[in-house]
């Protein structure tokens, strides 16, 4: 019952909630980002990061540092923290933590299938996969020729199996179909996660519903904008939108028939939470939309830490870490390519 | 003579001959009086419930010792339940938060001590109540006065037990938030401690009322 979680939450979740709040205090602050943005080279970045929590992960790296190494080590830290939490969690928190990684699993599957299509080496692709989304039989994805084989050979044993029922066709895999497959899988995953949180009830369902609804709406807008001018039909586009969120169902109707960005803006400005996002962009511009969405997401994730005794803090922490890794990647790339003036284009401050 | 030393007999006597008998000053023997009082109590309850319903009789026939003993058990048992609940709520958060910020452990033990105090209140009141429990001769065990003493001890036990239960819960939840906030920002500790102090005053209210309630638990004297 909402309001009384405080009485029994700490039996199973109290220790891990305190641990995740401790991890949160280790996120990089605005002062750290200011220091990093003023770095001249990747060695400077490494020196600044060794004063933060990333120190032990970066100190043993040999001297010609690449941006991919920095990102890889930071992701390794995230994976270590996640595994530490997962091994101490009981039900239903352990299922909740596993749900957080299914999105990465979907990305990995699509990465390997696309790479195989373009005739890349499987080992090389496996190294590029996100470590949180690895599962045992991932290497055999390279063998599959169409979606039915993909499902039958590999995916039926993974947690992604129930999401495949909507997208099994006998068509061969090509770029368009793979993107549609990715979006269909992600839609099924979001809806499943939403249902799971509703079943948990209480503060968790309230907070996670808000965050997941924003995610669903953001994906709907991105799908719309990316499919303007492609051969994706309106009905196909409709099928890729999730069936929850602020935009469901009337916003989806209108988004499905939009043909350019100004129409999308017209649709979104009817919803007060998204009006503030779109008012920051001038007409006809869509580059800043990603950053605006990230900023809004970070704001909502930080708000979830204001309440105690719910599982939303775990999801929020994972997402905030991923945002931080994105920030570090952007800063490293700008520094490595000597374009420091563009550094602030895409860095979202968390605190 | 109209004056009668048996004030309660006079008030409830129904029959005319009894009234006039008292007026004449003829004192009945103690055995007769015991029988008479039992009949009077039955009549009182019969008029109250409309008939001699078995539930009301059953309730009245429960020995006041039972009520008093259950009151003592609730006072200590439920208080300790509240204290334990509060301590585990605080303790699990404190352990997890202390991994990142070890400095918070010694100060935040105060929250645990506040919860523990709640259990101590329960023990003190239980000891006070059990000294109030005296034996009465079996003929007087269903006197209104002895029933009253039994109910008073029972009520005192419930008051203290449940007040301490919610006080322990309150202090425990605040203590958990206090530990987590202190780990992030150490200036918050003292401010949240003030909230905890107000919370622990709730248990004290329960103890005070419980002790006042039990002070009036006087069993009928022998003889």
């Amino acid at each position: 019952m909402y309001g009384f979680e405080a009485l029994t939450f700490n039996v199973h979740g109290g220790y891990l909630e305190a641990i995740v709040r401790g991890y949160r205090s280790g996120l990089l602050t605005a002062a750290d980002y200011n220091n990093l943005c003023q770095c001249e080279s990747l060695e400077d970045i490494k020196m600044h990061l060794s004063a933060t929590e990333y120190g032990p992960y970066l100190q043993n790296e040999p001297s010609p540092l690449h941006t991919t190494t920095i990102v890889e080590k930071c992701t390794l830290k995230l994976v270590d923290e996640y595994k530490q939490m997962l091994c101490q969690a009981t039900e239903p928190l352990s299922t909740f933590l596993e749900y957080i990684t299914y999105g990465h699993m979907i990305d990995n599957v699509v990465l390997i299938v696309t790479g195989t299509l373009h005739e890349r080496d499987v080992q090389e692709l496996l190294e590029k996969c996100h470590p949180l989304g690895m599962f045992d039989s991932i290497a055999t994805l390279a063998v599959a020729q169409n979606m039915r084989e993909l499902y039958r050979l590999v995916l039926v044993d993974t947690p992604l199996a129930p999401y495949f029922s909507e997208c099994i066709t006998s068509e061969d895999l090509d770029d368009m179909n793979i993107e549609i497959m990715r979006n269909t899988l992600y839609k099924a995953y979001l809806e499943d996660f939403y249902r799971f949180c509703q079943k948990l009830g209480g503060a968790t369902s309230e907070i996670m519903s808000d965050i997941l609804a924003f995610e669903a709406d953001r994906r709907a807008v991105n799908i719309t904008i990316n499919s303007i001018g492609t051969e994706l039909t309106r009905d196909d586009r409709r099928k890729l939108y999730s069936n929850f969120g602020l935009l469901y169902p009337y916003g989806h109707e209108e988004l499905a028939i939009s043909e350019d960005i100004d129409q999308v803006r017209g649709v979104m400005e009817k919803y007060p939470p998204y009006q503030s996002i779109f008012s920051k962009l001038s007409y006809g511009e869509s580059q800043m939309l990603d950053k605006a969405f990230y900023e809004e997401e970070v704001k909502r994730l930080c708000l979830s830490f204001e309440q105690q005794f719910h599982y939303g803090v775990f999801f929020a922490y994972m997402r905030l870490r991923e945002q931080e890794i994105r920030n570090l990647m952007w800063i490293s790339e700008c520094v490595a390519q000597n374009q420091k003036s563009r550094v602030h284009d895409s860095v979202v401050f968390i605190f | 003579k109209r004056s009668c030393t048996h004030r309660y007999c006079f008030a409830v006597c129904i029959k005319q001959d009894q009234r006039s008998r008292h007026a004449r000053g003829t004192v009945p023997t103690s055995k007769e009086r015991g029988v008479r009082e039992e009949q009077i109590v039955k009549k009182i309850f019969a008029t109250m419930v409309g008939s001699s319903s078995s539930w009301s009789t059953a309730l009245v026939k429960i020995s006041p010792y039972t009520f008093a003993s259950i009151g003592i058990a609730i006072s200590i048992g439920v208080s300790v339940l509240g204290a334990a609940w509060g301590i585990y709520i605080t303790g699990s958060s404190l352990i997890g938060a202390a991994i990142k910020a070890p400095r918070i452990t010694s100060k935040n033990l105060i929250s645990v001590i506040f919860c523990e105090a709640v259990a101590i209140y329960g023990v003190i009141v239980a000891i006070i109540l059990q000294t109030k429990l005296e034996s009465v001769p079996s003929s007087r065990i269903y006197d209104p006065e002895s029933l009253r003493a039994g109910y008073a001890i029972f009520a005192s036990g419930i008051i203290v037990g449940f007040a301490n239960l919610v006080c322990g819960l309150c202090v425990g939840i605040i203590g958990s938030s206090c530990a987590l906030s202190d780990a992030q920002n150490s200036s918050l500790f003292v401010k949240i401690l003030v909230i905890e102090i107000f919370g622990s005053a709730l248990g004290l209210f329960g103890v005070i009322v419980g002790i006042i309630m039990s002070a009036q638990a006087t069993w009928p004297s022998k003889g």
Side-chain angles (χ1 to χ4, degrees):
Chain A
M1 185 167 55
Y2 194 6
F4 289 88
E5 294 90 15
L7 299 181
T8 50
F9 183 86
N10 274 11
V11 180
H12 292 296
Y15 175 70
L16 282 174
E17 185 188 0
I19 295 253
V20 88
R21 284 178 186 266
Y23 288 153
R24 172 200 183 256
S25 65
L27 286 171
L28 298 178
T29 61
D32 290 320
Y33 282 124
N34 279 331
N35 284 341
L36 286 170
C37 288
Q38 288 166 1
C39 284
E40 296 291 333
S41 73
L42 292 178
E43 301 302 323
D44 280 347
I45 291 186
K46 175 179 163 185
M47 191 184 69
H48 276 115
L49 283 180
S50 55
T52 67
E53 305 235 327
Y54 289 109
Y57 289 85
L58 282 176
Q59 68 190 25
N60 291 327
E61 289 305 307
S63 204
L65 210 54
H66 299 287
T67 57
T68 49
T69 320
I70 294 182
V71 171
E72 198 184 301
K73 294 298 169 193
C74 295
T75 315
L76 191 60
K77 177 173 193 289
L78 172 62
V79 172
D80 281 344
E81 289 174 351
Y82 174 77
K83 291 210 165 98
Q84 213 171 356
M85 288 196 290
L86 184 61
C87 72
Q88 302 200 38
T90 62
E91 287 292 325
L93 180 55
S94 54
T95 312
F96 186 89
L97 287 174
E98 283 170 6
Y99 263 98
I100 299 177
T101 61
Y102 293 166
H104 292 297
M105 265 187 214
I106 294 174
D107 286 338
N108 285 351
V109 166
V110 169
L111 180 74
I112 290 188
V113 170
T114 318
T116 312
L117 196 66
H118 293 287
E119 320 226 331
R120 300 255 156 74
D121 182 31
V122 171
Q123 282 306 109
E124 196 188 305
L125 291 171
L126 282 177
E127 279 167 25
K128 284 200 199 163
C129 284
H130 198 281
L132 278 179
M134 298 298 275
F135 50 93
D136 283 337
S137 44
I138 195 168
T140 49
L141 280 172
V143 177
Q145 301 293 340
N146 61 26
M147 278 186 220
R148 222 176 264 285
E149 269 186 29
L150 199 67
Y151 178 69
R152 199 170 49 83
L153 287 179
V154 182
L155 292 166
V156 69
D157 290 326
T158 64
L160 297 179
Y163 305 150
F164 261 79
S165 57
E166 288 183 24
C167 67
I168 292 186
T169 61
S170 295
E171 290 176 18
D172 273 342
L173 298 167
D174 61 23
D175 278 324
M176 177 74 147
N177 285 342
I178 290 177
E179 277 308 305
I180 294 182
M181 178 177 87
R182 180 213 293 266
N183 285 310
T184 320
L185 282 178
Y186 209 91
K187 167 194 164 173
Y189 155 62
L190 273 183
E191 288 173 5
D192 193 23
F193 198 2
Y194 187 76
R195 268 195 305 268
F196 177 70
C197 292
Q198 299 284 79
K199 212 166 45 132
L200 287 176
T204 302
S205 84
E206 174 115 354
I207 292 172
M208 285 305 297
S209 299
D210 184 50
I211 297 176
L212 289 177
F214 179 77
E215 177 81 14
D217 292 338
R218 181 170 80 162
R219 284 193 81 85
V221 170
N222 281 336
I223 288 173
T224 312
I225 292 181
N226 290 338
S227 65
I228 290 174
T230 66
E231 55 197 32
L232 195 67
T233 65
R234 288 177 183 180
D235 286 333
D236 280 342
R237 209 196 274 177
R238 232 6 258 295
K239 274 192 269 186
L240 294 177
Y241 297 152
S242 306
N243 63 358
F244 65 96
L246 207 54
L247 290 176
Y248 171 80
Y250 306 113
H252 288 165
E253 304 272 343
E254 294 182 13
L255 276 180
I257 60 175
S258 310
E259 293 298 337
D260 63 42
I261 295 190
D262 290 327
Q263 283 185 5
V264 170
R265 172 196 288 271
V267 171
M268 298 303 280
E269 283 184 345
K270 292 185 197 153
Y271 296 88
Y274 304 129
Q275 187 181 26
S276 53
I277 297 177
F278 277 81
S279 63
K280 284 190 223 162
L281 313 170
S282 50
Y283 273 94
E285 183 190 305
S286 73
Q287 293 95 331
M288 299 303 286
L289 186 61
D290 273 345
K291 185 175 181 200
F293 271 132
Y294 280 136
E295 280 176 357
E296 177 73 16
E297 183 188 17
V298 162
K299 199 174 71 168
R300 287 178 191 222
L301 293 174
C302 285
L303 279 178
S304 78
F305 279 95
E306 302 294 318
Q307 202 170 343
Q308 222 183 321
F309 308 120
H310 62 91
Y311 293 147
V313 289
F314 296 98
F315 182 83
Y317 172 71
M318 301 293 288
R319 281 294 167 96
L320 285 173
R321 264 284 179 224
E322 285 167 18
Q323 178 62 43
E324 184 178 279
I325 293 175
R326 272 196 291 269
N327 286 348
L328 283 174
M329 185 177 74
W330 180 261
I331 294 175
S332 310
E333 291 285 349
C334 285
V335 163
Q337 294 173 12
N338 259 328
Q339 291 194 19
K340 290 182 50 195
S341 55
R342 293 196 59 197
V343 146
H344 287 281
D345 277 353
S346 189
V347 173
V348 178
F349 292 123
I350 296 179
F351 295 125
Chain B
K1 289 188 227 175
R2 289 297 164 136
S3 65
C4 174
T5 52
H6 309 289
R7 17 184 221 290
Y8 57 94
C9 290
F10 191 81
V12 303
C13 273
I14 305 170
K15 291 191 183 153
Q16 180 63 34
D17 59 346
Q18 288 168 345
R19 230 178 267 136
S20 53
R21 196 172 153 214
H22 279 284
R24 282 199 304 273
T26 322
V27 178
T29 63
S30 62
K31 184 168 174 225
E32 271 178 32
R33 216 173 38 206
V35 165
R36 176 51 44 83
E37 275 161 19
E38 198 180 2
Q39 288 173 347
I40 288 167
V41 164
K42 256 198 214 151
K43 282 209 169 66
I44 291 171
F45 280 97
T47 50
M48 275 165 57
V49 299
S51 63
S52 62
S53 124
S54 56
W55 280 112
S56 64
T57 317
L59 269 176
V60 170
K61 286 295 185 192
I62 296 177
S63 160
Y65 296 149
T66 313
F67 276 112
S69 310
I70 291 179
I72 296 172
I74 288 178
S75 127
I76 177 67
V78 177
S79 302
V80 168
L81 173 67
W85 203 330
I87 290 179
Y88 94 66
I89 292 179
T90 300
S92 52
S93 292
L94 182 52
I95 291 173
I99 290 182
K100 249 320 169 61
R103 58 182 165 80
I104 68 169
T105 40
S106 31
K107 279 201 292 184
N108 277 280
L109 286 176
I110 292 182
S111 308
V112 178
I113 292 173
F114 274 128
C115 286
E116 174 75 16
V118 155
I120 293 177
Y121 297 156
V123 173
I124 291 175
V125 171
I127 292 177
I128 291 177
L129 290 181
Q130 66 90 22
T131 59
K132 301 266 178 200
L133 194 55
E134 316 171 345
S135 294
V136 292
S138 54
S139 61
R140 304 203 60 185
I141 195 164
Y142 291 110
D143 284 8
E145 211 175 271
S146 86
L147 287 179
R148 176 191 183 216
Y151 296 152
I153 297 179
F154 178 61
S156 173
I158 293 185
I159 289 168
V160 169
F162 286 98
N164 285 337
L165 171 66
V166 291
C167 172
L169 272 173
C170 170
V171 174
I173 295 174
I174 300 176
S176 150
S177 305
C178 185
L180 294 176
S181 316
D182 190 17
Q184 304 270 342
N185 179 359
S186 44
S187 65
L188 288 173
F189 175 71
V190 177
K191 303 185 167 90
I192 300 184
L193 200 63
V194 173
I195 306 177
E196 262 186 77
I197 292 172
F198 278 109
S200 77
L202 301 174
L204 265 171
F205 298 157
V207 170
I208 292 171
V209 174
I211 290 184
I212 293 175
M213 189 77 196
S214 72
Q216 49 157 317
T218 46
W219 300 86
S221 46
K222 296 184 173 41

